[in-house]
Amino acid sequence: MTGHTGAQKRRPTRTVAVLLAALLPVAVTVGVYVFGRTHTPDYTKGLFGEHGVAVVDLKARLGSALMALAVVQLLLGLWMYRRLPGAGAAPHRVPPTHRLIGLIAFLLSLPIAYQCITAYGVDFTNSRVAVHSIAGCVLYGVFVAKVLVVRSRRLPGWALPAVGGALVTAIALLWYTAALWFFVGSAPGF
């Protein structure tokens, strides 16, 4: 008999899971940041055949769709975990719908992010652009964190709502500093 309890034997595995859940998202965020800072931007880069103001308009519309999907994801997540006031228990179709909408949102984000990072890179010319650039880098790190946290049963219960909230917050910041800014001419505070 070694005298170790079950909790003591599981601690290293939990520690590894926590480190992985923390380090891999940071590595993704730093990788996107480094790429965005070191490559040469191509300001003429288009998106789906659109260029100039038309590409900005297209990204604003796609970004708004992404923001709407993030709100739906937030509501579905709250419903699944019985945190949506007055909604009761979520039907069995809600979790797969949540996963499908998450996949659609992720795929929708890719062309927007690709155009942004290749056309503009990570830039700090003003506060709006700086917040947008950092939120764009953080978005994919937080996405990786959410996937890891969802797959792990060893992380604390607060981890999933924390990374889910961070993901919605990153998307909201991106929308606020780009799509809203484009549609109204400038976002309040920037």
Side-chain angles (χ1 to χ4, degrees):
M1 179 70 74
T2 61
H4 293 286
T5 66
Q8 289 171 325
K9 289 180 183 179
R10 284 180 276 166
R11 179 145 322 273
T13 305
R14 184 178 181 147
T15 302
V16 169
V18 169
L19 284 174
L20 180 63
L23 294 178
L24 189 55
V26 169
V28 169
T29 300
V30 169
V32 172
Y33 175 84
V34 167
F35 176 80
R37 290 296 290 170
T38 58
H39 91 286
T40 303
D42 177 3
Y43 300 110
T44 63
K45 189 83 170 169
L47 180 63
F48 300 126
E50 300 292 342
H51 296 279
V53 175
V55 77
V56 178
D57 179 65
L58 176 59
K59 287 193 318 182
R61 292 176 192 285
L62 292 174
S64 294
L66 179 61
M67 184 67 226
L69 290 173
V71 170
V72 170
Q73 282 294 89
L74 175 63
L75 294 173
L76 289 174
L78 290 170
W79 196 9
M80 284 189 313
Y81 290 97
R82 295 179 180 237
R83 299 288 190 244
L84 191 61
H92 293 292
R93 67 183 180 275
V94 170
T97 301
H98 181 77
R99 285 190 296 274
L100 178 61
I101 291 173
L103 175 63
I104 292 168
F106 174 74
L107 294 174
L108 177 61
S109 76
L110 292 174
I112 303 167
Y114 178 77
Q115 197 280 337
C116 281
I117 201 158
T118 58
Y120 308 110
V122 173
D123 193 3
F124 299 110
T125 54
N126 61 51
S127 60
R128 178 190 67 84
V129 172
V131 168
H132 188 79
S133 291
I134 296 302
C137 295
V138 167
L139 173 67
Y140 291 100
V142 173
F143 178 79
V144 168
K146 184 167 186 292
V147 169
L148 291 173
V149 169
V150 163
R151 302 269 180 219
S152 175
R153 301 288 181 235
R154 299 180 188 276
L155 295 173
W158 56 262
L160 184 57
V163 296
L167 188 55
V168 171
T169 300
I171 292 169
L173 278 171
L174 289 164
W175 177 80
Y176 183 80
T177 57
L180 180 64
W181 181 84
F182 175 76
F183 289 136
V184 299
S186 66
F190 287 100

